[in-house]
Amino acid sequence: MALDLQAISRAIDGTCVPRRLGERTPVDGVSPLEAFVVVGNPEYATLVTGDEEELMRRLAAARAGGSSPDDAGDTGDDRNEDDGDPLLGAVFVSDADTPALRAALERRGMTAILGARLGGAALHATLSALIADDRAAADRLVTAGINVLTQVARRGGVTAVIAELAHRLDGWAVLLDAQGQLIGSAGAGRLHVSDAVAVALGRPVRVRHVGLQLHHVGSDSDLAGYLVVATRSRSRTHSRDLAAQSAALLDLLLRTHDPSLTEHLGREALIATLDAGGPPARDLLRRWEVHEPSLTAFALGAKTRTVDLERLLRRWLDELGAEHIFASGSGPVRGFVRNELAEELAELAEALRPMGGARVHLGLGAPAPAETLAQSAVQARQALDTALEDGETVHRYTRLPTVDLVLSSLTGTPSDALTSLLDPLRDASGAHGELGRTLRVFLSEHGGHRSSARRLGIHRQTLASRIRRIEGLTGLSMDRADDRTAAWLALRAAGL
C-alpha cells in the first residue's frame, strides 16, 4: 500500500509527531481506543482514535505498572522502556494538540498525529475511508498488473512474465522447478539465485534480502515449482498479492505444455514409425523439419517418480533448440536428437541436482542413419539400464562392456538367431513379460537366488519355479556357462 503516516497527516490536516514509528511507515488499519488489542502487523502502523484524556490515563496506568519513579537512577523519562504495552506500537490520531498530551506521548515514546481538522466519529470514519480507498487502489494495481502479465504471457511465455514481474516489483524474480533447478530469472544476480534456491529448498543459509518472498507454483500435492521475489518497494502487500497471482499464472503456463492424450498417442506413433525404419521414417523426419542423415537415440529414466521426466526433457529440448522427438510410457522417456546435441543433453543431465536426493539417468546410443534408428534406440535403453544399475547419471553405449560392442557388430541372421532363443518366453501379447524380466534379473545377479528374489519381490521358491519353466521352454540350462552366456547375449540383443 502507498498510504503512510505522512500521507494520513496531509489528508486530515494534522501534524505527525514521530516517535517509535517514522513518518514513512505504511498504514494498514484503524481501531477505536477502547477496542484496540494489538498491532496487526509490526511492519505497518495501526491507527487508534479516541478521547485524549482516556489515552493519557492508559499511558499513565501502563507506566505505573512498570518501574517505580523512586528507583535509583530514574530520570522520569521512560520513552525507551518496553513494558510490553501493545498500545505504544500504535499511532494515536486526534484533533487535540495540547502540551499535556504531547508530554504524555513524549514520556512513553508513542507516535501520534495531532491537530486534525476532524474529531470523534467523523475522524474515525474519514480514516477508515482513506484506508479502504487505498486498499481498493492496491487491488486495482494488482488487477491491472495481472492483466498486463497475462498479455505478456501470450507473447513471450514464462520468460516474459518473469521479466515483467521483476519490473513491476522494482526488484528481482526467480522461477525454479520442483527440484530447485532454475527455469528463469530477471534482475537477479548469482547470489540472488543462490538465495532463492536456499529459501525454496529450506537450506540453512543466511538470506541477504529482507523483502524476499516465496510462493509455491501449483499445489502441495502437485508442485510445479517455486517463485521467489524480492522488492525494493515499501508496498509489501501489493508485491505479495501480485507475486501470488503471478505464481498462479506461471502454474498455468508451465502446465499448458503438458501433452494431451492425443499428443501422447501421436508421439508414440512417431517413435514407432522411426523404430520401424526405412523410407517412411526418413520421410516423416523431413516433415518434422529434421533433415540430418543420422540421429542419436536417448533414454531418460529415474528410480523414483518424484521427478517429472517428460516436463524436464521438454524444457531441456527447448533450451537446446531441438525438436521434440520423444515419447513417454510407463517406463523411461525415449527419443532422438541431432548428433551434435547429444553431448549437450548429457551435460544438462549431469548438471541437474533434483530435490530430495533423487537422480535422473540418461542413456545415449550410437549415431545411426535415419532409416535404421531402431538399433540406436536399443543401444540407448541398454546404456540407461547400465546407468541405473551402476548409479551413473549418464552412460554412453560406446563405453559399455565388450559384450555389447560385440552385439553391435551382429546384424541380420546372427542377431536374429540370438533373439529367437527367447521367443518361447513371449506371452499372449508378444512381449517377453514376466519370464524375460526374471531371466534378466537372475543372470545379472550371477545366479543368486536370494538376491534375485529380493529384486523381483517374490519368494525364492517362486523364483526357482520360474527358472525351471524358462529352462523347459528355451532348452537352456542355467547350470551351464555356455547356456547362461547365450541367454545373456540374447537378452541384450533383444534390448531387455
Side-chain angles (χ1 to χ4, degrees), residues 214-226:
L214 171 65
H215 300 270
H216 285 190
V217 179
S219 63
D220 291 339
S221 60
D222 188 17
L223 189 66
Y226 304 93

Side-chain angles (χ1 to χ4, degrees), residues 208-289:
R208 304 170 179 84
H209 315 279
V210 177
L212 190 145
Q213 303 171 19
L214 171 65
H215 300 270
H216 285 190
V217 179
S219 63
D220 291 339
S221 60
D222 188 17
L223 189 66
Y226 304 93
L227 175 63
V228 185
V229 301
T231 177
R232 289 182 286 272
S233 171
R234 294 180 299 105
S235 302
R236 299 285 175 80
T237 300
H238 167 248
S239 66
R240 185 180 299 108
D241 292 344
L242 184 59
Q245 294 289 339
S246 299
L249 176 61
L250 290 168
D251 184 34
L252 292 175
L253 288 175
L254 291 175
R255 298 181 192 280
T256 298
H257 298 288
D258 285 348
S260 63
L261 176 59
T262 302
E263 187 176 349
H264 271 292
L265 294 175
R267 293 190 186 282
E268 291 175 4
L270 167 66
I271 297 300
T273 301
L274 297 182
D275 285 342
R282 181 195 59 222
D283 296 341
L284 181 58
L285 286 172
R286 288 178 179 175
R287 291 175 59 186
W288 203 269
E289 299 299 326

Side-chain angles (χ1 to χ4, degrees), residues 266-469:
R267 293 190 186 282
E268 291 175 4
L270 167 66
I271 297 300
T273 301
L274 297 182
D275 285 342
R282 181 195 59 222
D283 296 341
L284 181 58
L285 286 172
R286 288 178 179 175
R287 291 175 59 186
W288 203 269
E289 299 299 326
V290 178
H291 301 284
E292 280 72 15
S294 67
L295 297 174
T296 297
F298 66 84
L300 182 69
K303 293 182 178 179
T304 175
R305 294 188 178 183
T306 59
V307 181
D308 190 336
L309 295 174
E310 189 170 340
R311 179 183 297 171
L312 181 65
L313 177 62
R314 190 179 300 109
R315 181 157 57 83
W316 284 351
L317 294 179
D318 286 341
E319 184 176 337
L320 297 175
E323 295 77 10
H324 289 202
I325 308 175
F326 68 88
S328 61
S330 57
V333 181
R334 60 193 190 96
F336 303 92
V337 293
R338 299 194 300 272
N339 298 332
E340 66 271 16
L341 297 180
E343 287 304 317
E344 295 185 44
L345 184 62
E347 291 175 2
L348 290 172
E350 291 279 9
L352 179 66
R353 295 292 182 271
M355 182 176 57
R359 297 179 61 185
V360 299
H361 304 270
L362 178 69
L364 293 174
E371 295 85 354
T372 57
L373 289 173
Q375 184 177 0
S376 182
V378 172
Q379 295 169 353
R381 179 58 188 267
Q382 292 174 350
L384 174 62
D385 289 341
T386 301
L388 289 166
E389 291 176 3
D390 296 345
E392 298 180 355
T393 301
V394 178
H395 206 96
R396 297 161 181 82
Y397 180 78
T398 54
R399 299 181 187 176
L400 288 176
T402 306
V403 63
D404 298 296
L405 296 179
V406 171
L407 287 174
S408 65
S409 66
L410 297 179
T411 58
T413 303
S415 178
D416 294 342
L418 273 175
T419 57
S420 66
L421 290 174
L422 304 180
D423 286 347
L425 304 184
R426 297 182 184 274
D427 55 25
S429 65
H432 291 94
E434 180 183 86
L435 293 181
R437 170 170 166 73
T438 300
L439 179 60
R440 175 177 173 77
V441 170
F442 181 75
L443 294 176
S444 66
E445 292 294 331
H446 310 291
H449 284 70
R450 179 175 299 175
S451 57
S452 298
R454 187 184 308 115
R455 279 186 58 182
L456 291 168
I458 60 177
H459 194 273
R460 291 175 62 186
Q461 292 297 330
T462 304
L463 173 67
S465 176
R466 289 185 187 178
I467 294 300
R468 287 195 299 269
R469 187 179 175 195

Side-chain angles (χ1 to χ4, degrees), residues 106-192:
E106 170 71 17
R107 284 193 299 271
R108 304 301 290 150
M110 183 177 179
T111 302
I113 298 175
L114 305 177
R117 68 174 184 274
L118 300 171
L123 175 60
H124 187 87
T126 299
L127 294 175
S128 299
L130 288 172
I131 293 174
D133 288 344
D134 183 64
R135 288 177 176 171
D139 291 341
R140 288 194 295 270
L141 284 175
V142 172
T143 302
I146 287 299
N147 288 338
V148 173
L149 288 170
T150 302
Q151 295 297 323
V152 167
R154 294 173 180 172
R155 298 193 300 269
V158 170
T159 303
V161 170
I162 293 297
E164 181 65 22
L165 177 61
H167 170 70
R168 287 185 169 271
L169 293 180
D170 186 24
W172 54 262
V174 173
L175 179 63
L176 307 170
D177 66 12
Q179 285 73 47
Q181 299 298 305
L182 179 66
I183 296 177
S185 66
R190 182 176 59 84
L191 292 179
H192 299 147

